[in-house]
Amino acid sequence: MSKIVFLSDLHLSPTHGFFWENFRLSRDAADQAGAEAVIVNGDLCINGPDSDAEMDFARDALGKLRTPVLALPGNHDVGDEPPGQDPAQLVNEARMDRWDARFGTDRFALDAGAWRLIGVNAQLFGSGLEREAEQWDWLEGRLIASSHRRIALVLHKPLFIEDEGETAETASCMTPGPRAALLALLRRHRVGLVISGHLHAERDRVVGGIRHLWLPALAFLGSGDHGGRPAVGAVVVDFAGADASVMPLAVPPLSPHDLAAIKGHGRYRFLRDMPESPPPAE
């Protein structure tokens, strides 16, 4: 089997259920897609870095999928690498332990069709944690072992916004130092595709000989400030041939939520600060 469903930026919560219906519809569609696996590409939660209940809720929600699930963490799950979107929620060992207790691992290697998909934890790059060095070693080992296949790297954050040489340190993508090291590693091992989420926008282009695919979000539309097309939805990627084929997941219309409107156009800084609005019971 060569088809993989990608779900990204779910932002689930037992106390703030704004995006539950989009997830429910997409979850059911994913099970009907006949895919080998569902990859959940980060930001499962709204307040995962500081909430056991949110991590439990996301784990249980994904557990209802009949298709095998591989989940990667995002900044709303384990915290950001520095400088971070929220200095109060930077990735640390305790937050990673919370993820491990629910999902077991923050990385994977999966063969699909002609490709090997290698999933990593974007939040570790530049974190300075011991886990960062471990992940670099693991990643290089997996790349060396995958030389007989086409290779796709999967992670929550894009490597850059417009070009590889960007110097700004921003929470929107990888920071310059780790990015340069990662790109050099990917080129050494002829990685052909990088799949990311985080920006809630679609984009599919080749830069420097590597194809970069941005995934739409399940929760709400991106701002559009980072390029790409703000979008809610999910995709199915067929890895049967040398060129991965991307198509929308066949799902009923999803609500194109406006984050600014939900947060009262500045009344609340973060969704976690809002009055509780639990999702409906299934």
Side-chain angles (χ1 to χ4, degrees), residues 218-230:
L218 289 191
F220 55 86
L221 294 170
S223 66
D225 295 339
H226 307 299
R229 184 182 73 86

Side-chain angles (χ1 to χ4, degrees), residues 59-93:
R59 176 201 58 201
D60 294 346
L62 293 174
K64 292 183 170 62
L65 277 152
R66 298 187 303 275
T67 309
V69 174
L70 297 168
L72 293 172
N75 51 295
H76 283 277
D77 306 315
V78 299
D80 238 332
E81 78 284 5
Q85 176 183 344
D86 178 4
Q89 288 194 338
L90 297 182
V91 63
N92 59 29
E93 292 293 349

Side-chain angles (χ1 to χ4, degrees), residues 161-162 199-201 203 214 221-231:
I161 303 302
E162 291 297 337
L199 296 180
H200 297 229
R203 203 174 201 181
W214 292 4
L221 294 170
S223 66
D225 295 339
H226 307 299
R229 184 182 73 86

Side-chain angles (χ1 to χ4, degrees), residues 159 164-170 173-182:
L159 275 60
E164 298 175 352
E166 294 165 353
T167 58
E169 290 198 350
T170 169
C173 63
M174 286 185 65
T175 51
R179 175 201 308 141
L182 181 58

Side-chain angles (χ1 to χ4, degrees), residues 119-132:
V120 294
N121 181 350
Q123 276 55 60
L124 290 182
F125 293 114
S127 69
L129 298 177
E130 183 177 338
R131 287 170 180 256
E132 180 183 5

Side-chain angles (χ1 to χ4, degrees), residues 166-209:
E166 294 165 353
T167 58
E169 290 198 350
T170 169
S172 298
C173 63
M174 286 185 65
T175 51
R179 175 201 308 141
L182 181 58
L183 280 168
L185 183 63
L186 300 185
R187 289 208 168 89
R188 273 203 310 275
H189 296 281
R190 300 183 300 281
V191 172
L193 175 62
V194 175
I195 300 175
S196 61
H198 187 56
L199 296 180
H200 297 229
E202 295 177 324
R203 203 174 201 181
D204 190 350
R205 62 186 183 139
V206 176
V207 180

